[in-house]
Coordinates of all heavy atoms in Angstrom, one line a residue:
P1323 N -170.9 -90.2 -73.1 CA -171.4 -90.5 -71.7 C -170.3 -91.0 -70.8 O -169.4 -91.8 -71.3 CB -172.4 -91.6 -71.9 CG -172.1 -92.2 -73.2 CD -171.5 -91.1 -74.1
V1324 N -170.2 -90.6 -69.6 CA -169.2 -91.0 -68.6 C -169.9 -91.4 -67.4 O -170.8 -90.6 -66.8 CB -168.2 -89.8 -68.3 CG1 -167.2 -90.3 -67.2 CG2 -167.5 -89.4 -69.6
V1325 N -169.6 -92.6 -66.9 CA -170.2 -93.1 -65.6 C -169.1 -93.5 -64.7 O -168.1 -94.1 -65.1 CB -171.1 -94.4 -66.0 CG1 -171.7 -95.0 -64.7 CG2 -172.2 -94.1 -66.9
T1326 N -169.3 -93.2 -63.4 CA -168.2 -93.4 -62.4 C -168.4 -94.8 -61.8 O -169.5 -95.3 -61.7 CB -168.2 -92.3 -61.3 OG1 -169.5 -92.3 -60.7 CG2 -167.8 -91.0 -62.0
A1327 N -167.3 -95.3 -61.3 CA -167.3 -96.6 -60.6 C -166.2 -96.7 -59.6 O -165.2 -95.9 -59.6 CB -167.2 -97.8 -61.6
D1328 N -166.3 -97.6 -58.6 CA -165.3 -97.7 -57.5 C -164.5 -99.0 -57.8 O -165.1 -100.1 -57.8 CB -166.0 -97.8 -56.2 CG -165.0 -97.7 -55.0 OD1 -163.8 -98.1 -55.2 OD2 -165.4 -97.2 -54.0
L1329 N -163.2 -98.9 -58.0 CA -162.4 -100.0 -58.3 C -162.3 -101.0 -57.2 O -162.0 -102.2 -57.4 CB -161.0 -99.5 -58.7 CG -160.7 -98.9 -60.1 CD1 -159.4 -98.3 -60.1 CD2 -160.8 -100.0 -61.1
E1330 N -162.5 -100.5 -56.0 CA -162.3 -101.4 -54.8 C -163.6 -102.1 -54.4 O -163.6 -102.9 -53.4 CB -161.8 -100.6 -53.6 CG -160.4 -100.0 -53.8 CD -159.9 -99.1 -52.7 OE1 -160.7 -98.4 -52.1 OE2 -158.7 -99.1 -52.5
V1331 N -164.7 -101.8 -55.1 CA -166.0 -102.5 -54.8 C -166.2 -103.5 -55.9 O -166.3 -103.2 -57.1 CB -167.2 -101.5 -54.8 CG1 -168.5 -102.2 -54.7 CG2 -167.0 -100.5 -53.7
P1332 N -166.3 -104.8 -55.6 CA -166.5 -105.9 -56.6 C -167.7 -105.6 -57.4 O -168.8 -105.4 -56.9 CB -166.6 -107.1 -55.7 CG -165.9 -106.8 -54.5 CD -166.1 -105.4 -54.2
G1333 N -167.5 -105.7 -58.7 CA -168.6 -105.6 -59.7 C -169.0 -104.2 -60.0 O -169.9 -104.0 -60.9
S1334 N -168.4 -103.2 -59.3 CA -168.8 -101.8 -59.6 C -168.6 -101.3 -61.0 O -169.4 -100.7 -61.7 CB -168.1 -100.8 -58.6 OG -168.5 -99.5 -58.9
V1335 N -167.4 -101.7 -61.5 CA -167.0 -101.3 -62.9 C -167.9 -102.0 -63.9 O -168.3 -101.5 -64.9 CB -165.5 -101.6 -63.1 CG1 -165.1 -101.3 -64.6 CG2 -164.6 -100.7 -62.2
A1336 N -168.1 -103.3 -63.7 CA -169.0 -104.1 -64.6 C -170.4 -103.5 -64.6 O -171.0 -103.5 -65.7 CB -169.0 -105.6 -64.1
R1337 N -171.0 -103.1 -63.5 CA -172.3 -102.5 -63.5 C -172.3 -101.2 -64.2 O -173.3 -100.9 -65.0 CB -172.8 -102.4 -62.0 CG -173.1 -103.7 -61.3 CD -173.8 -103.4 -60.0 NE -173.0 -102.7 -59.0 CZ -172.2 -103.4 -58.2 NH1 -172.1 -104.7 -58.2 NH2 -171.4 -102.7 -57.3
A1338 N -171.3 -100.4 -64.1 CA -171.2 -99.1 -64.8 C -171.1 -99.4 -66.3 O -171.8 -98.7 -67.1 CB -170.0 -98.3 -64.3
A1339 N -170.4 -100.4 -66.7 CA -170.3 -100.7 -68.1 C -171.6 -101.2 -68.7 O -172.0 -100.9 -69.8 CB -169.2 -101.8 -68.3
A1340 N -172.3 -102.0 -67.9 CA -173.6 -102.5 -68.3 C -174.6 -101.3 -68.5 O -175.4 -101.3 -69.5 CB -174.2 -103.5 -67.3
G1341 N -174.5 -100.3 -67.6 CA -175.4 -99.1 -67.8 C -175.1 -98.4 -69.1 O -176.0 -97.9 -69.7
L1342 N -173.8 -98.3 -69.4 CA -173.4 -97.6 -70.7 C -173.9 -98.4 -71.9 O -174.4 -97.8 -72.9 CB -171.9 -97.4 -70.7 CG -171.3 -96.4 -69.8 CD1 -169.8 -96.5 -69.8 CD2 -171.7 -95.0 -70.3
R1343 N -173.9 -99.7 -71.8 CA -174.4 -100.5 -73.0 C -175.9 -100.3 -73.1 O -176.4 -100.4 -74.3 CB -174.0 -101.9 -72.8 CG -172.5 -102.2 -72.9 CD -172.1 -103.7 -72.9 NE -170.7 -103.8 -73.1 CZ -169.8 -104.0 -72.2 NH1 -170.2 -104.1 -70.9 NH2 -168.5 -104.2 -72.5
Q1344 N -176.6 -100.2 -72.0 CA -178.0 -99.9 -72.1 C -178.3 -98.6 -72.8 O -179.4 -98.4 -73.4 CB -178.7 -100.0 -70.7 CG -178.7 -101.4 -70.1 CD -179.3 -101.4 -68.7 OE1 -179.6 -100.3 -68.2 NE2 -179.4 -102.6 -68.1
M1345 N -177.4 -97.6 -72.7 CA -177.5 -96.3 -73.3 C -177.2 -96.4 -74.8 O -177.4 -95.5 -75.6 CB -176.6 -95.3 -72.7 CG -176.9 -95.0 -71.3 SD -175.7 -93.8 -70.6 CE -175.9 -93.9 -68.8
G1346 N -176.7 -97.6 -75.3 CA -176.3 -97.7 -76.7 C -174.8 -97.7 -77.0 O -174.4 -97.9 -78.1
A1347 N -174.0 -97.6 -76.0 CA -172.6 -97.6 -76.2 C -172.1 -99.0 -76.4 O -172.6 -100.0 -75.8 CB -171.8 -97.0 -75.0
E1348 N -171.1 -99.2 -77.3 CA -170.6 -100.5 -77.7 C -169.1 -100.6 -77.4 O -168.7 -101.7 -77.0 CB -170.9 -100.7 -79.2 CG -172.4 -100.8 -79.6 CD -172.5 -101.0 -81.1 OE1 -171.5 -101.0 -81.8 OE2 -173.7 -101.1 -81.5
R1349 N -168.4 -99.6 -77.7 CA -166.9 -99.6 -77.4 C -166.6 -98.9 -76.2 O -166.6 -97.6 -76.2 CB -166.2 -99.1 -78.6 CG -166.4 -99.8 -79.9 CD -165.6 -99.2 -81.1 NE -165.9 -97.8 -81.3 CZ -166.9 -97.4 -82.0 NH1 -167.8 -98.2 -82.5 NH2 -167.1 -96.1 -82.2
L1350 N -166.4 -99.5 -75.1 CA -166.2 -98.9 -73.8 C -164.7 -98.8 -73.4 O -163.9 -99.7 -73.7 CB -167.0 -99.7 -72.7 CG -168.5 -99.9 -73.0 CD1 -169.1 -100.6 -71.8 CD2 -169.2 -98.6 -73.3
A1351 N -164.4 -97.7 -72.7 CA -163.1 -97.5 -72.2 C -163.1 -97.3 -70.7 O -164.0 -96.7 -70.2 CB -162.4 -96.2 -72.9
L1352 N -162.1 -97.8 -70.1 CA -161.9 -97.6 -68.6 C -160.9 -96.5 -68.4 O -159.7 -96.7 -68.8 CB -161.6 -98.9 -67.9 CG -161.3 -98.8 -66.4 CD1 -162.5 -98.4 -65.7 CD2 -160.8 -100.1 -65.9
A1353 N -161.3 -95.4 -67.8 CA -160.3 -94.3 -67.5 C -160.0 -94.4 -66.0 O -160.8 -94.0 -65.1 CB -160.9 -93.0 -67.8
P1354 N -158.8 -94.9 -65.6 CA -158.5 -94.9 -64.2 C -158.2 -93.5 -63.6 O -157.3 -92.9 -64.0 CB -157.2 -95.8 -64.1 CG -157.2 -96.5 -65.4 CD -157.8 -95.5 -66.4
Y1355 N -159.1 -93.1 -62.7 CA -159.0 -91.8 -62.0 C -158.2 -92.0 -60.7 O -158.6 -91.7 -59.6 CB -160.4 -91.3 -61.8 CG -160.4 -89.9 -61.3 CD1 -159.7 -88.9 -61.9 CD2 -161.3 -89.5 -60.2 CE1 -159.8 -87.5 -61.5 CE2 -161.4 -88.2 -59.8 CZ -160.7 -87.2 -60.4 OH -160.8 -85.9 -60.0
V1356 N -156.9 -92.5 -60.9 CA -156.1 -92.8 -59.8 C -154.6 -92.6 -60.2 O -154.3 -92.4 -61.4 CB -156.2 -94.3 -59.3 CG1 -157.6 -94.6 -58.7 CG2 -156.0 -95.2 -60.5
L1357 N -153.8 -92.5 -59.2 CA -152.3 -92.4 -59.5 C -151.8 -93.6 -60.2 O -151.2 -93.5 -61.2 CB -151.5 -92.1 -58.2 CG -151.4 -90.7 -57.7 CD1 -150.6 -90.7 -56.4 CD2 -150.9 -89.7 -58.7
G1358 N -152.2 -94.8 -59.7 CA -151.8 -96.0 -60.3 C -150.9 -96.9 -59.4 O -151.3 -97.9 -58.9
P1359 N -149.6 -96.5 -59.1 CA -148.8 -97.3 -58.3 C -149.2 -97.5 -56.9 O -148.6 -98.4 -56.2 CB -147.4 -96.6 -58.4 CG -147.5 -95.7 -59.6 CD -148.9 -95.3 -59.7
D1360 N -150.1 -96.7 -56.4 CA -150.6 -96.8 -55.0 C -151.6 -97.9 -54.9 O -152.1 -98.1 -53.8 CB -151.1 -95.4 -54.5 CG -152.2 -94.9 -55.4 OD1 -152.1 -95.1 -56.6 OD2 -153.1 -94.2 -54.9
L1361 N -152.1 -98.5 -56.0 CA -153.1 -99.5 -56.0 C -152.5 -100.9 -55.9 O -151.4 -101.1 -56.1 CB -154.0 -99.4 -57.2 CG -154.8 -98.1 -57.4 CD1 -155.6 -98.2 -58.7 CD2 -155.7 -97.8 -56.3
E1362 N -153.4 -101.8 -55.6 CA -153.0 -103.2 -55.6 C -152.7 -103.6 -57.0 O -153.5 -103.3 -57.9 CB -154.1 -104.1 -55.0 CG -153.9 -105.6 -55.1 CD -155.1 -106.4 -54.6 OE1 -156.0 -105.8 -54.0 OE2 -155.1 -107.6 -54.8
P1363 N -151.6 -104.3 -57.3 CA -151.2 -104.6 -58.7 C -152.3 -105.5 -59.4 O -152.8 -106.4 -58.8 CB -149.9 -105.4 -58.5 CG -149.3 -105.0 -57.2 CD -150.5 -104.6 -56.3
G1364 N -152.6 -105.1 -60.6 CA -153.6 -105.8 -61.4 C -155.0 -105.5 -61.1 O -155.9 -106.0 -61.8
L1365 N -155.3 -104.5 -60.2 CA -156.6 -104.2 -59.9 C -157.4 -103.5 -61.1 O -158.5 -103.9 -61.4 CB -156.7 -103.2 -58.7 CG -158.0 -102.8 -58.2 CD1 -158.8 -104.0 -57.7 CD2 -157.9 -101.7 -57.1
V1366 N -156.7 -102.6 -61.8 CA -157.4 -102.0 -63.0 C -157.6 -103.0 -64.1 O -158.6 -103.0 -64.7 CB -156.5 -100.8 -63.4 CG1 -157.0 -100.2 -64.8 CG2 -156.4 -99.7 -62.4
E1367 N -156.6 -103.8 -64.4 CA -156.6 -104.7 -65.5 C -157.8 -105.8 -65.2 O -158.5 -106.1 -66.1 CB -155.3 -105.5 -65.6 CG -154.2 -104.6 -66.1 CD -153.6 -103.7 -65.1 OE1 -154.0 -103.9 -63.9 OE2 -152.8 -102.8 -65.4
A1368 N -157.9 -106.2 -64.0 CA -158.9 -107.2 -63.7 C -160.3 -106.6 -63.8 O -161.3 -107.2 -64.3 CB -158.8 -107.7 -62.2
A1369 N -160.5 -105.3 -63.4 CA -161.8 -104.7 -63.5 C -162.1 -104.5 -65.0 O -163.3 -104.6 -65.4 CB -161.8 -103.4 -62.7
A1370 N -161.2 -104.1 -65.8 CA -161.4 -103.8 -67.2 C -161.8 -105.1 -67.9 O -162.7 -105.1 -68.8 CB -160.2 -103.2 -67.9
E1371 N -161.1 -106.2 -67.6 CA -161.4 -107.5 -68.2 C -162.9 -108.0 -67.8 O -163.6 -108.4 -68.7 CB -160.4 -108.5 -67.8 CG -160.6 -109.9 -68.5 CD -159.6 -110.9 -68.1 OE1 -158.6 -110.5 -67.3 OE2 -159.6 -112.1 -68.5
E1372 N -163.2 -107.8 -66.6 CA -164.6 -108.2 -66.1 C -165.6 -107.4 -66.8 O -166.7 -108.0 -67.1 CB -164.7 -108.0 -64.6 CG -166.0 -108.4 -64.0 CD -166.2 -108.1 -62.6 OE1 -165.3 -107.4 -62.0 OE2 -167.2 -108.5 -61.9
A1373 N -165.4 -106.1 -67.0 CA -166.4 -105.3 -67.6 C -166.4 -105.2 -69.1 O -167.2 -104.6 -69.8 CB -166.2 -103.8 -67.1
G1374 N -165.4 -105.9 -69.8 CA -165.2 -105.8 -71.2 C -164.8 -104.5 -71.7 O -165.3 -104.0 -72.8
C1375 N -164.0 -103.8 -71.0 CA -163.5 -102.4 -71.4 C -162.0 -102.5 -71.8 O -161.3 -103.4 -71.4 CB -163.7 -101.4 -70.2 SG -165.4 -101.3 -69.6
T1376 N -161.6 -101.5 -72.6 CA -160.2 -101.3 -72.8 C -159.7 -100.2 -71.9 O -160.3 -99.1 -71.8 CB -160.0 -100.9 -74.3 OG1 -160.5 -101.8 -75.1 CG2 -158.5 -100.7 -74.6
A1377 N -158.7 -100.5 -71.1 CA -158.2 -99.6 -70.1 C -157.1 -98.7 -70.6 O -156.2 -99.1 -71.3 CB -157.7 -100.3 -68.9
A1378 N -157.3 -97.4 -70.2 CA -156.2 -96.4 -70.5 C -155.2 -96.5 -69.3 O -155.4 -97.2 -68.3 CB -156.7 -95.0 -70.6
E1379 N -154.1 -95.8 -69.4 CA -153.1 -95.7 -68.3 C -153.7 -94.8 -67.2 O -154.5 -93.9 -67.4 CB -151.8 -95.1 -68.8 CG -151.0 -96.0 -69.8 CD -150.5 -97.3 -69.1 OE1 -150.2 -97.2 -67.9 OE2 -150.5 -98.3 -69.7
S1380 N -153.2 -95.1 -66.0 CA -153.5 -94.3 -64.8 C -152.9 -92.9 -65.0 O -152.0 -92.7 -65.8 CB -153.1 -94.9 -63.6 OG -153.7 -96.2 -63.4
L1381 N -153.3 -92.0 -64.2 CA -152.8 -90.6 -64.3 C -151.3 -90.5 -64.0 O -150.6 -89.8 -64.7 CB -153.6 -89.7 -63.3 CG -155.0 -89.4 -63.6 CD1 -155.7 -88.6 -62.5 CD2 -155.1 -88.7 -65.0

Side-chain angles (χ1 to χ4, degrees):
V1324 177
V1325 178
T1326 56
D1328 193 330
L1329 282 168
E1330 296 176 328
V1331 175
S1334 177
V1335 174
R1337 288 191 294 272
L1342 285 170
R1343 290 189 176 98
Q1344 290 179 356
M1345 299 178 192
E1348 298 178 354
R1349 299 182 303 277
L1350 304 185
L1352 176 62
Y1355 188 47
V1356 292
L1357 279 180
D1360 55 327
L1361 298 180
E1362 179 184 346
L1365 183 62
V1366 173
E1367 292 77 8
E1371 183 178 359
E1372 179 187 10
C1375 302
T1376 303
E1379 291 292 328
S1380 302
L1381 290 174

